[in-house]
């Protein structure tokens, strides 16, 4: 059971890193990589994908310190990115306004890299048979569940802001801001009460599907722009971010891993 859970947590971290790599690659390309540090999330996300994808397929630890370095780097780069994105928004005329939040650097986007680093680090510790990370117990699954619950709520906030910018012109735009928060709250309740409800599993599975569906909806949004994908160089940058929704999928997969750990310890 622990092996499957470790694979799910590592797989969720890899999915998050994949979303970051593609999304930050597009967004920072649009920004012409004006700041040299804009290449950092691409490198750390690529390394995180390699490490976590390997761990999801082979959870047994090989004793190398490379995974630990990768997870620490992802977390650090994500935190630095949060600072840069907040600065990018607040330095604009008017400071912290909805207009600047809409069209400045996406404030919450780098947090996905932080979450990838944290989840990858937990999966790495579990694969080594370690039961604790400092004062935090890992094998109970509650720590992972807490991280995933908070991460889903943060991702919902980012989606809500950008979908508000789009005036929720499509009813399906309400889906990622209604179902995932219910899943996050249900998971958080299970973590607090140290129990596993069948509804939480169903909600997390549905949240994973929402992330996959979001890719299709965002691709459709790009195709609706003048020229569609024939004018992909412009429309992919101007349309809804296609790589963003899988962040929900990655977090939901890691959440399912947390539930397996919680069940195994009961």
């Amino acid at each position: 059971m622990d092996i499957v859970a470790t694979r799910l947590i590592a797989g969720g971290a890899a999915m998050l890193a994949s979303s970051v790599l593609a999304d930050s690659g597009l967004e920072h390309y649009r920004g012409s990589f004006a700041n040299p540090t804009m290449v950092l999330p691409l490198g750390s996300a690529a390394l995180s994908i390699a490490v976590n994808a390997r761990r999801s397929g082979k959870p047994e630890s090989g004793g190398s310190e490379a995974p630990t370095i990768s997870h620490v780097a992802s977390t650090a780069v994500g935190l630095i990115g949060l600072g840069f994105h907040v600065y990018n928004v607040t330095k604009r005329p008017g400071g912290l306004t909805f207009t600047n939040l809409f069209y400045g650097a996406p404030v919450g986007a780098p947090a996905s890299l932080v979450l990838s680093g944290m989840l990858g680090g937990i999966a790495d510790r579990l694969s080594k048979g370690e039961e604790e990370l400092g004062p935090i117990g890992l094998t109970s699954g509650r720590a992972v569940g807490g991280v995933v619950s908070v991460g889903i709520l943060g991702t919902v906030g980012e989606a809500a802001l950008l979908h508000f910018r789009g005036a929720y012109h499509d009813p399906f735009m309400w889906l990622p801001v209604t179902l995932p928060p219910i899943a996050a709250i249900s998971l958080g309740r299970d973590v607090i009460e140290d129990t596993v409800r069948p509804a939480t599993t169903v909600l997390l599975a549905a949240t994973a599907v929402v992330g996959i569906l979001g890719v299709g909806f965002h691709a459709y949004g790009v195709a609706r722009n003048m020229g569609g994908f024939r004018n992909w160089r412009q429309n992919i940058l101007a349309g809804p971010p296609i790589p963003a929704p899988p962040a929900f999928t990655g977090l939901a997969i890691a959440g399912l891993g947390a539930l397996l750990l919680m069940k195994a310890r009961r």
Side-chain angles (χ1 to χ4, degrees):
M1 187 73 76
D2 288 355
I3 292 177
V4 176
T6 301
R7 283 176 169 170
L8 287 173
I9 296 168
M15 177 69 76
L16 276 169
S18 299
S19 176
V20 171
L21 177 62
D23 196 26
S24 64
L26 286 173
E27 295 296 327
H28 289 182
Y29 173 75
R30 181 168 63 178
S32 302
F33 290 93
N35 189 325
T37 59
M38 292 169 80
V39 302
L40 290 179
L42 278 66
S44 59
L47 182 59
S48 181
I49 293 169
V51 169
N52 287 302
R54 182 177 182 275
R55 182 71 70 212
S56 65
K58 184 183 178 182
E60 297 82 5
S61 174
S64 172
E65 292 301 319
T68 300
I69 295 172
S70 169
H71 305 318
V72 171
S74 294
T75 304
V77 171
L79 289 172
I80 293 171
L82 283 171
F84 274 118
H85 282 212
V86 170
Y87 173 71
N88 178 272
V89 171
T90 55
K91 76 175 183 178
R92 293 166 176 257
L96 197 62
T97 64
F98 272 114
T99 299
N100 290 338
L101 286 171
F102 288 156
Y103 299 105
V107 176
S112 291
L113 196 54
V114 177
L115 291 167
S116 177
M118 292 175 66
L119 293 172
I122 291 172
D124 187 47
R125 297 274 180 159
L126 289 172
S127 70
K128 294 177 180 177
E130 299 180 18
E131 297 187 356
E132 296 181 348
L133 179 60
I136 302 173
L138 300 179
T139 54
S140 69
R142 299 175 73 185
V144 183
V147 170
V148 169
S149 180
V150 172
I152 290 176
L153 290 176
T155 307
V156 167
E158 187 76 11
L161 180 69
L162 297 180
H163 285 192
F164 179 71
R165 184 182 71 179
Y168 289 95
H169 63 274
D170 188 322
F172 284 105
M173 293 174 75
W174 289 99
L175 193 57
V177 299
T178 52
L179 179 60
I182 296 174
I185 293 171
S186 182
L187 177 58
R189 183 180 175 185
D190 285 0
V191 168
I192 293 171
E193 298 181 359
D194 194 15
T195 187
V196 177
R197 294 176 176 81
T200 305
T201 302
V202 173
L203 287 167
L204 285 174
T207 298
V209 173
V210 166
I212 296 171
L213 291 176
V215 174
F217 279 116
H218 281 206
Y220 174 68
V222 170
R224 289 178 68 242
N225 288 329
M226 185 172 293
F229 280 99
R230 294 191 303 276
N231 186 26
W232 63 271
R233 291 178 182 271
Q234 177 178 335
N235 289 339
I236 284 183
L237 297 176
I242 295 176
F248 281 116
T249 304
L251 286 167
I253 290 173
L256 292 172
L259 292 182
L260 284 180
L261 288 175
M262 292 169 68
K263 287 179 180 178
R265 290 296 172 271
R266 287 180 59 80

